[in-house]
Amino acid sequence: MASAADRAGEGEGAGAGGGRRRLHFYREMLRIRYFEEAAIRGMKEQLVLGAIHPSIGQEAVAVGVCANLENTDIVLSTHRGHGHTLAKGAQLQPMMRELFGKEGGYCRGKGGSMHIADFSVGMLGANGVVGANIVIATGAAHAIRLRRSREIVACFFGDGATNRGPFLEGLNWASIHGLAILFVCENNGFAATTRTTALSAGEGPSARARSLGIETMDVDGNDVVEVDKVAARAVAEIRAGGGPRFLHVRTYRLTGHTAADAAAYRAQTEVDERLKDEPIGRLRAQLLQQEGITEAVLEEVARSIREAVDAAYADARDAPYPPASAAFDDVQDVGDPRQEAY
Ligand SMILES: Cc1ncc(C[n+]2csc(CCOP(=O)(O)OP(=O)(O)O)c2C)c(N)n1
Ligand SMILES: [Mg+2]
């Protein structure tokens, strides 16, 4: 299958922001936006029963980073993982079925939003345990080192996760061993319902990474072209054997923490202000003004993605639940765990 990098059009030059590459970014970000809007609709219609953490407003981070990854490169994600998973190349239909708890979902409908994985595109998993993916990603990068292969790992996590122990453990290990891993700290300003600045001592995520000997880069995460450019540089340095890099990406979560959170802890005026800066609108303006792409072309792109998402929604709604007899399949590895433990 074509990698995210191939689909982004390597001919344009990674990070170059050519017209074709920008149009691809537009398509990819809309695909994530419409998928998540559909997921929220599914929750309101009581078809999606688990928690949904939308990444609406943060799409440029997933798309700009994954555009620089090969299919065989590895991604580890968070509880807010739909965007990362789709940007790495996962398909709408099994994603939607998973959210609906249906047969044919990526985890046969048993995982839901926070446990989606698709090994065929290098997506090792979302993760509901904040920060836990950082040590798993570091382990994956160490495995790559031991196998002497060429893949790299990209690990997305939030600003809140930098206050957890696995952040220190993972970054320290990656730095000591010079592992091929891109840490992507997606700073949306909040950890659940609390402003992260109220929870975090010191000078922020990048200062912590630098204290562990890791080179950091800071980027406006609502500008997909900038994210692409900076990620391209970081990925090239990692592939050249430079060891881990740390991307600090500033963005904003436009929805509540979950789809059920009305976000009463912040003023609507703040959200309205940040809406002016949201990544899809920004790229749309660039495409119209700088690339000479017409409204009609953008409308057609939006229409076709909406159609694909609506089709995935209808498919998931109508698909069967897995049979009760499958309840214990895939829950635990085969064998006797007590025997294996001793
Ligand atoms: C170990 C652990 N502690 C607490 C929680 C509850 N929780 C879920 S998301 C979240 C906030 C995470 O903030 P951040 O890492 O910034 O990610 P964001 O939600 O902003 O994407 C918390 C505290 C959890 N899931 N896991
Ligand atoms: Mg956050």
Side-chain angles (χ1 to χ4, degrees):
M1 121 161 256
S3 69
D6 285 341
R7 288 182 293 118
E10 286 291 12
E12 299 284 328
R20 203 162 64 85
R21 194 169 173 87
R22 286 190 194 192
L23 197 56
H24 168 77
F25 292 158
Y26 189 69
R27 199 174 284 119
E28 287 289 285
M29 290 200 291
L30 270 189
R31 190 163 163 262
I32 297 168
R33 177 76 56 96
Y34 289 170
F35 177 87
E36 292 199 314
E37 287 174 354
I40 294 169
R41 189 164 82 237
M43 202 201 77
K44 288 188 178 143
E45 291 177 6
Q46 297 194 323
L47 295 168
V48 174
L49 300 178
I52 297 285
H53 299 81
S55 63
I56 290 176
Q58 303 182 203
E59 297 89 346
V61 185
V63 170
V65 169
C66 288
N68 293 285
L69 301 178
E70 300 300 329
N71 194 55
T72 46
D73 289 330
I74 301 294
V75 159
L76 269 295
S77 178
T78 66
H79 53 288
R80 204 175 300 288
H82 307 140
H84 311 137
T85 311
L86 287 167
K88 189 64 172 59
Q91 302 299 307
L92 291 170
Q93 191 194 65
M95 286 270 295
M96 198 71 87
R97 283 196 183 203
E98 190 57 40
L99 263 52
F100 280 63
K102 297 295 183 74
E103 188 69 84
Y106 271 118
C107 306
R108 286 195 77 183
K110 295 179 196 170
S113 168
M114 279 184 281
H115 304 98
I116 295 180
D118 180 4
F119 289 6
S120 73
V121 298
M123 168 55 189
L124 289 202
N127 201 314
V129 182
V130 171
N133 63 332
I134 302 176
V135 280
I136 298 172
T138 304
H142 205 115
I144 289 168
R145 157 71 50 81
L146 294 176
R147 287 202 310 262
R148 298 176 198 276
S149 57
R150 302 287 308 159
E151 301 88 28
I152 72 164
V153 178
C155 178
F156 294 92
F157 52 88
D159 39 341
T162 66
N163 286 328
R164 290 218 57 239
F167 175 81
L168 172 64
E169 289 183 42
L171 268 69
N172 181 62
W173 191 265
S175 183
I176 285 289
H177 292 281
L179 299 179
I181 179 163
L182 178 64
F183 294 107
V184 184
C185 178
E186 208 161 339
N187 190 345
N188 60 12
F190 289 90
T193 56
T194 309
R195 286 190 202 274
T196 319
T197 45
L199 299 168
S200 308
E203 290 168 19
S206 294
R208 290 183 184 180
R210 281 195 299 272
S211 80
L212 295 162
I214 299 178
E215 207 175 294
T216 65
M217 303 172 187
D218 187 83
V219 62
D220 175 352
N222 282 14
D223 183 341
V224 68
V225 176
E226 276 303 308
V227 177
D228 176 39
K229 207 179 287 177
V230 176
R233 204 179 91 214
V235 165
E237 290 175 4
I238 295 167
R239 285 201 203 284
R245 291 290 183 276
F246 187 93
L247 234 57
H248 177 242
V249 193
R250 288 168 280 111
T251 183
Y252 191 78
R253 192 192 73 208
L254 289 170
T255 70
H257 172 57
T258 67
D261 168 25
Y265 43 84
R266 67 186 182 191
Q268 188 54 40
T269 47
E270 173 182 318
V271 181
D272 292 344
E273 196 51 41
R274 298 305 300 259
L275 255 175
K276 294 180 194 159
D277 185 44
E278 68 88 19
I280 297 180
R282 262 172 87 170
L283 182 63
R284 184 182 165 80
Q286 288 176 14
L287 285 167
L288 292 170
Q289 290 155 22
Q290 296 167 17
E291 302 293 341
I293 290 172
T294 62
E295 292 268 4
V297 168
L298 297 184
E299 282 312 310
E300 177 52 26
V301 167
R303 192 203 54 75
S304 70
I305 296 169
R306 196 176 289 286
E307 201 175 283
V309 170
D310 286 349
Y313 188 92
D315 168 81
R317 182 193 57 213
D318 299 341
Y321 287 105
S325 60
F328 296 106
D329 294 348
D330 308 319
V331 173
Q332 189 172 291
D333 197 2
V334 288
D336 183 334
R338 288 161 304 179
Q339 290 287 333
E340 288 174 7
Y342 295 102

